[in-house]
Amino acid sequence: MSDTVFHKIMRGDLPADILYQDDLVVAFRDISPAAPSHVLIVPRKDLPSVSDVTEDDRMLVGHMVLVARNLATSLEIEGEGYRLVFNCGENGGQVVPQLHLHLLGGRKMSWPPG
Ligand code: AMP
């Protein structure tokens, strides 16, 4: 089993500001927020990145998106808009090798990203 910082949070070995959890995912505030609201939605299943997602994970990945959308509503950032990001691999800027979806909101974001 992988043992990233996110696995430690999911096991309860590291503290985190958890906003939501269920059988499939845990969502907690990013420790170094890039926006006023910055939440990570992480699957409990070991999956290093989007590159490791298979057909079997269709429902899981869809669930991650719906959890992010519901959190955007509860954090009251849905009306003004928000960004969902999967960083993948080195060029994608992924640092933690466990799949996670970033939910960012509360400020205007530029495009394209740097
Ligand atoms: P990524 O670059 O897509 O792999 O994003 C990893 C994210 O995890 C970064 O935004 C970090 O700030 C965040 N992060 C790292 N360690 C922790 C932690 N202990 N609790 C919450 N977020 C963390």
Side-chain angles (χ1 to χ4, degrees), residues 52-64:
D52 301 289
V53 168
T54 71
E55 293 291 332
D56 290 345
D57 302 311
R58 275 175 183 274
M59 199 276 280
L60 175 61
V61 175
H63 183 65
M64 290 171 71

Side-chain angles (χ1 to χ4, degrees), residues 50-113:
V50 172
S51 295
D52 301 289
V53 168
T54 71
E55 293 291 332
D56 290 345
D57 302 311
R58 275 175 183 274
M59 199 276 280
L60 175 61
V61 175
H63 183 65
M64 290 171 71
V65 172
L66 283 173
V67 167
R69 196 278 311 277
N70 292 342
L71 283 166
T73 302
S74 57
L75 292 168
E76 299 182 338
I77 57 173
E78 189 169 30
E80 291 184 333
Y82 52 91
R83 183 170 289 177
L84 301 181
V85 177
F86 284 103
N87 292 328
C88 184
E90 192 178 342
N91 277 3
Q94 183 177 5
V95 174
V96 179
Q98 167 68 2
L99 183 67
H100 51 282
L101 177 58
H102 293 256
L103 165 63
L104 299 139
R107 70 168 171 82
K108 178 92 174 161
M109 274 164 270
S110 58
W111 189 264

